[in-house]
Amino acid sequence: MCENVNGKVNEKIISDVNLDVNSDMNLYGNLDKRSPVGVFDSGVGGLTVVREIMRQLPNEMMVYFGDTARVPYGSKSKKTIIKYSRQIINFLKTKNVKAIVVACNTASALALDEIKDEIDIPIIGVVKPGAKMAATYSKNKRVGVIATEATINSDMYTDVIRSYDKDIKVFGKACPLFVPLVEEGWTKDPVTYEVARRYLKDMKEKDIDTLVLGCTHYPLLRKLVGEVMGDKVTLVNPAYETAVSLGKMLEKYGLLSDNDNSYKGGMYEFYVSDAATKFKDFANSILPFRIDNIDEISIEKY
Amino acid sequence: MCENVNGKVNEKIISDVNLDVNSDMNLYGNLDKRSPVGVFDSGVGGLTVVREIMRQLPNEMMVYFGDTARVPYGSKSKKTIIKYSRQIINFLKTKNVKAIVVACNTASALALDEIKDEIDIPIIGVVKPGAKMAATYSKNKRVGVIATEATINSDMYTDVIRSYDKDIKVFGKACPLFVPLVEEGWTKDPVTYEVARRYLKDMKEKDIDTLVLGCTHYPLLRKLVGEVMGDKVTLVNPAYETAVSLGKMLEKYGLLSDNDNSYKGGMYEFYVSDAATKFKDFANSILPFRIDNIDEISIEKY
């Protein structure tokens, strides 16, 4: 699709924020720009995306759903992940959201293509913004992707990265211990370094120059992964890129909020399917604002 | 309840196989001894219990359900685990089972007391048989329990062990990385040794003489945990003790199968809520018979 990775290509890729949405610009005229953005993940990982949206789009209200009763999605089948994603979108629509962010790599990889034509509001996942930036950054056309088993097996990152440049070679590696290590809080631990060295050994030998952190927990291991991979490898954080793309998408559809940008209580609502207390502890350890109200709902009803 | 740990106490404890069942011996007269035993777990871990039942009770047919769509239970709330357990028991009853084994420590700890009075067939969990043997084996009255977060937080092992001997001191430790390490296949790996040394450090300093492997995955780490803890600590495997207790329970109610004891195809049926192929690979890596038919069902309907 593109023959080089100079400025022109970057421009092409960065301006194309519409990969996950219906291309009819008039389709969303009935939506209210002051409505919240709906964000969901299988559990707490998507909070790294919430954090980026809070930083980059401080005017936007958000409704977050974490499917803590059914986490993790990474080892589940495509059919199950599509069913769960439909239920969550049905729930978020009851909150009158103006757009949806699938802040879960597994659901973005396995369910988004199936679901995006079924709904009448713009929707964006984390895979495509991350994949686009990886295609942009790589000079030697050798890109690594680390993620859950389901995301790697789906080949979604490989397909999207190569849709930008078919000459790029993509090397995927599932790292199933990274999520429990992050949730254990061992983000700077010698054990985690050893696990990372083990997981990333093949990747280092492949001479990649760009590595996608393809699971929403992994940005919390960014420093450690960066040290293992060395200075010459650029890390791509899809959470950051997704917040950038969300801003461009909302702007394109005239849906950017015109609230003033000082934080007010009540801007953010959090819902989970189980164990709200644990969720709250994790949320308050990584978010810039203190979260007090987290409601538990029965997601199976939606 | 008992003042010493000599032969008499052992006899008392071992003969008491009725902790989890209604005590009316005539209650189950309508059940057929040739019906299968129903066994369930949150995923693949309960197969270590299936393996023990295959070995110790080769005449018994089994129907196994692994809740692979909603695994793990270890981080979920009591309310959710009770709801899931009810659905699974409803499903197993459609298979005409004569008894149920809750082959999941978390569900045994959090749901069994609530559920056992709701059903009309004998039911047994893995916690009480394991706890009983720990109370029997310990000489110095200092027992350790390693398990998931939910099992440890429930204090179920502590309560049951101390119901046999209130002088026993019980030390619990959640080991959340052990399950993903087993599922990664790193059961004899230096990383797993280091994680085990970290998790078990406090336990060693407590001078325990008995350690309960309180999660169904942990018997697959028995050798490694044994090496870390040293020769003087007796490991209790609740999967083994549960198969012993199941045999005694079936005998007590006249429900032991009189099939001949040579393995025949069709003796065992396996059901999962998701990803049957992965389940099959794990099952065939640990069971003595090759499993071919695994059916996927929608457990939420039950």
Side-chain angles (χ1 to χ4, degrees):
Chain A
M1 184 172 186
C2 43
E3 297 300 311
N4 55 53
V5 287
N6 64 16
K8 270 189 188 164
V9 174
N10 291 12
E11 210 172 274
K12 161 76 191 76
I13 293 172
I14 294 169
S15 69
D16 179 9
V17 296
N18 192 26
L19 274 171
D20 283 325
V21 297
N22 190 304
S23 60
D24 181 349
M25 286 185 61
N26 297 318
L27 195 65
Y28 306 121
N30 59 332
L31 297 174
D32 182 349
K33 63 172 70 168
R34 293 206 168 191
S35 293
V37 173
V39 182
F40 78 88
D41 178 43
S42 56
V44 296
L47 293 171
T48 59
V49 180
V50 166
R51 181 171 64 170
E52 292 297 339
I53 297 172
M54 286 174 169
R55 286 174 182 162
Q56 294 182 35
L57 302 168
N59 294 353
E60 298 299 332
M61 295 170 67
M62 271 186 278
V63 178
Y64 183 88
F65 176 77
D67 200 359
T68 47
R70 304 187 294 197
V71 70
Y73 284 6
S75 51
K76 294 182 174 59
S77 69
K78 177 171 178 154
K79 191 181 68 181
T80 295
I81 290 164
I82 289 172
K83 183 172 85 176
Y84 290 178
S85 300
R86 278 200 186 105
Q87 289 173 331
I88 296 167
I89 289 170
N90 288 340
F91 165 71
L92 289 174
K93 287 186 75 176
T94 68
K95 298 292 167 187
N96 203 29
V97 296
K98 66 181 175 186
I100 288 176
V101 177
V102 186
C104 168
N105 281 273
T106 307
S108 299
L110 274 65
L112 188 55
D113 273 347
E114 187 97 7
I115 280 173
K116 70 173 192 271
D117 296 328
E118 299 172 3
I119 64 168
D120 53 3
I121 52 176
I123 184 167
I124 189 171
V126 286
V127 170
K128 290 182 182 178
K132 273 188 285 182
M133 291 318 293
T136 307
Y137 289 138
S138 180
K139 303 294 177 218
N140 74 354
K141 298 183 189 293
R142 298 175 75 81
V143 172
V145 177
I146 54 175
T148 63
E149 206 180 333
T151 302
I152 295 300
N153 290 344
S154 76
D155 279 330
M156 180 71 169
Y157 270 105
T158 305
D159 294 345
V160 180
I161 291 170
R162 287 170 50 83
S163 76
Y164 285 100
D165 184 345
K166 67 175 172 33
D167 293 334
I168 292 180
K169 209 158 163 44
V170 181
F171 304 93
K173 173 72 182 170
C175 304
L177 286 164
F178 276 175
V179 169
L181 284 164
V182 167
E183 296 198 345
E184 192 71 331
W186 294 10
T187 53
K188 293 165 190 167
D189 193 280
V191 165
T192 312
Y193 273 96
E194 177 52 31
V195 171
R197 273 189 289 270
R198 192 88 61 92
Y199 279 150
L200 300 172
K201 185 169 177 289
D202 285 352
M203 201 67 93
K204 288 190 77 165
E205 289 167 1
K206 299 285 194 256
D207 189 33
I208 59 165
D209 70 352
T210 307
L211 177 64
V212 179
L213 305 175
C215 166
T216 48
H217 278 73
Y218 296 0
L220 302 169
L221 294 174
R222 189 167 40 185
K223 188 166 171 294
L224 182 149
V225 170
E227 283 177 28
V228 171
M229 292 306 295
D231 287 347
K232 289 179 187 154
V233 175
T234 303
L235 301 188
V236 174
N237 176 1
Y240 177 87
E241 310 301 342
T242 300
V244 173
S245 291
L246 173 66
K248 289 178 190 285
M249 183 175 83
L250 293 176
E251 189 174 12
K252 175 172 177 176
Y253 293 121
L255 289 172
L256 271 177
S257 172
D258 54 7
N259 292 319
D260 75 67
N261 66 1
S262 57
Y263 170 68
K264 292 172 285 295
M267 274 189 79
Y268 308 123
E269 292 179 25
F270 293 85
Y271 297 88
V272 291
S273 47
D274 196 23
T277 312
K278 269 187 67 182
F279 180 90
K280 189 171 155 183
D281 293 343
F282 192 86
N284 283 323
S285 75
I286 71 163
L287 295 182
F289 305 110
R290 185 162 174 81
I291 305 304
D292 286 312
N293 291 319
I294 298 169
D295 287 323
E296 203 177 310
I297 61 157
S298 281
I299 192 66
E300 292 164 15
K301 289 191 308 195
Y302 291 89
Chain B
M1 185 172 185
C2 44
E3 296 301 311
N4 56 52
V5 288
N6 64 17
K8 270 187 188 165
V9 175
N10 292 9
E11 211 171 274
K12 161 73 193 77
I13 293 173
I14 293 169
S15 69
D16 179 7
V17 297
N18 192 27
L19 275 171
D20 285 324
V21 297
N22 189 304
S23 60
D24 181 348
M25 288 185 62
N26 297 317
L27 194 65
Y28 307 120
N30 60 332
L31 297 175
D32 182 349
K33 63 171 72 168
R34 294 207 168 191
S35 293
V37 173
V39 183
F40 77 88
D41 178 44
S42 56
V44 297
L47 292 170
T48 60
V49 180
V50 166
R51 180 171 67 169
E52 291 298 339
I53 298 172
M54 285 174 169
R55 285 174 181 161
Q56 295 182 35
L57 302 167
N59 295 352
E60 298 300 333
M61 295 169 68
M62 270 185 279
V63 177
Y64 183 89
F65 176 78
D67 199 0
T68 47
R70 303 186 295 197
V71 72
Y73 284 8
S75 51
K76 294 181 173 62
S77 70
K78 177 169 178 154
K79 192 181 67 181
T80 295
I81 291 164
I82 289 172
K83 183 173 84 174
Y84 290 178
S85 300
R86 280 202 186 104
Q87 289 172 330
I88 296 168
I89 289 169
N90 288 341
F91 164 71
L92 289 173
K93 289 186 74 176
T94 68
K95 297 292 166 188
N96 203 29
V97 295
K98 67 182 175 186
I100 287 176
V101 178
V102 186
C104 168
N105 281 274
T106 307
S108 298
L110 274 65
L112 188 55
D113 273 346
E114 185 98 8
I115 279 174
K116 67 174 194 273
D117 296 327
E118 300 171 4
I119 64 169
D120 54 2
I121 53 177
I123 184 166
I124 189 170
V126 287
V127 169
K128 290 182 183 179
K132 273 189 284 184
M133 290 318 293
T136 308
Y137 289 139
S138 180
K139 303 297 176 218
N140 75 355
K141 299 185 190 292
R142 299 175 74 80
V143 172
V145 177
I146 53 175
T148 63
E149 204 180 334
T151 302
I152 294 300
N153 289 344
S154 77
D155 278 330
M156 180 71 170
Y157 271 104
T158 305
D159 294 344
V160 180
I161 291 169
R162 287 171 51 83
S163 77
Y164 285 99
D165 185 345
K166 66 174 174 36
D167 293 335
I168 292 180
K169 206 156 165 44
V170 181
F171 305 93
K173 172 73 183 168
C175 304
L177 287 164
F178 276 175
V179 169
L181 284 164
V182 167
E183 296 200 344
E184 191 71 330
W186 294 9
T187 53
K188 293 165 189 166
D189 193 282
V191 165
T192 312
Y193 272 96
E194 177 53 31
V195 171
R197 271 189 290 269
R198 191 90 60 95
Y199 279 150
L200 300 172
K201 185 170 177 287
D202 284 353
M203 200 66 93
K204 288 190 77 167
E205 289 166 2
K206 300 284 192 252
D207 189 33
I208 59 165
D209 71 351
T210 307
L211 178 65
V212 180
L213 305 174
C215 167
T216 48
H217 278 73
Y218 296 0
L220 302 170
L221 294 174
R222 189 167 39 185
K223 188 167 171 296
L224 182 148
V225 169
E227 283 176 27
V228 171
M229 292 305 295
D231 287 347
K232 288 179 187 153
V233 175
T234 303
L235 301 187
V236 174
N237 176 0
Y240 177 88
E241 308 302 343
T242 299
V244 173
S245 291
L246 173 66
K248 290 177 190 285
M249 182 176 84
L250 294 176
E251 189 176 12
K252 175 171 178 177
Y253 294 121
L255 288 172
L256 269 178
S257 172
D258 55 5
N259 292 318
D260 75 63
N261 67 1
S262 57
Y263 171 68
K264 293 172 287 293
M267 275 187 79
Y268 307 123
E269 291 179 27
F270 294 85
Y271 297 88
V272 290
S273 46
D274 196 22
T277 312
K278 269 188 67 182
F279 181 90
K280 189 171 156 183
D281 293 343
F282 192 86
N284 283 322
S285 74
I286 71 162
L287 295 181
F289 306 111
R290 189 168 169 76
I291 305 304
D292 286 313
N293 290 319
I294 298 169
D295 287 323
E296 203 176 308
I297 61 157
S298 281
I299 192 66
E300 292 166 14
K301 290 190 309 195
Y302 290 89

